[in-house]
Structures are given as structure tokens and as C-alpha cells.
Amino acid sequence: MSMKTSTRQVNGVTIVDCSGRITLGEGSVILKDVVRELLSKGQKKILLNLGDVNYIDSSGIGELVSAFTTVRNQGGELKLLNLTKKVHDLLQITKLYTVFDVKDDEAAAVKSFT
Amino acid sequence: MTEQRVSYTLDSTLETVDSAEQAASRIATEAGFDDEEVMRIAMAVREAAVNAVLHGNAYDPGKKVSLAFEQTGGNLVITIRDQGKGLDPDKIPDPLAPENLLKTSGRGIFLIRSFMDEVVISPSQTGTEIKLVKHVHGPAEGAKEASQ
């Protein structure tokens, strides 16, 4: 299953609901394009909901890092929501879990944006 | 575990990466690994295939990726070979070093080493061979450990 995304706005925060696989090729490209488009529209408070992302590879991890730094470099914030165990474990072993701001409650996550 | 060997010769394409992952998942399942171990083995093979296709063969249609699975002596041994210019494992930066944490690439070999019991990288002028080994831990061994 390839990656799919849909976006919604909640109190000024853009929530990107992601599902499927973020892997080399299509999945990573879709994530890159979504973030780029949001930034081009001035939407810099981005919450990536990864609750339905069941698989991510090193390329997908790289794309998450790229999205995080790109948004931050433009003065925005990108946070992660609802990690599955697989994605959580991957971010732990790559020491990225503490780099990202990871949330597990959507309402609290939305409120946490400055 | 029944002893057997399966090998594939694959093109240097993204489809090869998916095919390698799927083959690894199927063979690891057949070898009796649990779901979590199957996922780890399949991801290690996927990452090795990515290295072979992208960094080794650089998508060159004239170069192939060899993939072999061997079940022997209680081990699942997986060999991935490309026809690139050779990967020097000593030159791969540590992806866990603070200065590398925010790099967007360079985690593939680290993940492979994290997920497999043994990893041997053999570069040469005619390509790189990565051998991945996963030990099969049978239920009897686990029961013995649990009783100690």
C-alpha cells in the first residue's frame, strides 16, 4: 500500500493525516510535496498524524527529518502525532525520538503550537 | 529449519527494492521467525537492496543485483551483491553522532546492523557484497533460558 495524505485545519494548525508506507520513491515524494505545498501557502504549523503509517524505511526517516528542518528553517513548527509502535521504535533506535516533538493526543498537540 | 537456497538476479530499479523486501518477508516467515523478526529482516534486506540499486549500481540498467537466501545450520543467511564501485563501510558516518542526527540520509547500514545478528560488508572493485545473518531461536532454547 502506497502512502496517502489528507489535510485539515484545526485552530490554525494544519493536520496532515498520513496512511500507508513512507518509503523510498512514492511515499517520500508525497510527503515532501505535501509539506512544500503547505509552506508555499504560508501554513507553517504542521502536525503529521502518522497513526495509520504502518511502515517507514530509512528514506522515509530522512524525509521526516527533511520536513522537520525545512519547516523550522522557515520559522514554522512540525510535530508528529500518533506514532505506531514500528515508527516509534525506529525513531528510538535512530535517536530521533527526542529530536521530533512527538504527541499522542490531537487536541493537546494542536494547543502546543505557539 | 529445512536447509535450502533461493537466489534471484534483479534489475537496478525501485521495483527490485520492493521485490527483495517481499521475498525476505516470505522466506523469513517460512523459516519460522515471529512477526517482529520478519519485519526486521525484511527491512534490513530492503535497506541493503536500496544501497545496491542506488549507491552501488546507481540505477544502471546494465548492472544487476544478486539476492540469495540460504537456510543453513540454524541460520538464515541473506546475501545481496551489486556491481558498483564498492562501498567502504569505514567511510560511513555514524548516524547517531549529534552532528549527523539531522542528516536526511546515511541510516541504512545502521538499521541493517541493528536488525540482524551478523553483518559482513565486502567491497571490491567489481561491487559490494553484504551478507546478513539471523539466528533462529527455537522454542526449546527460549524455554531453557526462561527456566534459568
Side-chain angles (χ1 to χ4, degrees), chain B residues 21-87:
Chain B
E21 178 193 344
Q22 289 160 10
S25 183
R26 187 181 69 250
I27 289 169
T29 300
E30 290 169 359
F33 291 98
D34 66 27
D35 289 348
E36 186 142 335
E37 290 294 273
V38 168
M39 189 278 292
R40 288 169 173 238
I41 293 166
M43 181 173 281
V45 170
R46 178 181 181 85
E47 297 293 344
V50 167
N51 278 344
V53 169
L54 267 72
H55 306 304
N57 292 351
Y59 292 116
D60 185 338
K63 293 180 177 176
K64 301 292 183 185
V65 175
S66 303
L67 170 64
F69 298 88
E70 194 168 6
Q71 298 174 34
T72 177
N75 292 327
L76 176 60
V77 181
I78 304 159
T79 309
I80 298 114
R81 183 196 298 266
D82 64 49
Q83 296 177 317
K85 55 188 176 186
L87 166 77

Side-chain angles (χ1 to χ4, degrees), chain A residues 9-51:
Chain A
Q9 299 290 325
V10 179
N11 295 339
V13 174
T14 304
I15 301 176
V16 183
D17 296 305
C18 308
S19 62
R21 294 161 55 99
I22 308 177
T23 55
L24 178 70
E26 192 181 9
S28 293
V29 170
I30 289 172
L31 178 59
K32 182 194 291 280
D33 288 348
V34 166
V35 171
R36 184 186 296 159
E37 188 181 339
L38 291 176
L39 289 174
S40 73
K41 293 191 289 190
Q43 295 169 0
K44 298 180 179 177
K45 296 177 180 178
I46 300 172
L47 183 59
L48 287 184
N49 179 7
L50 303 180

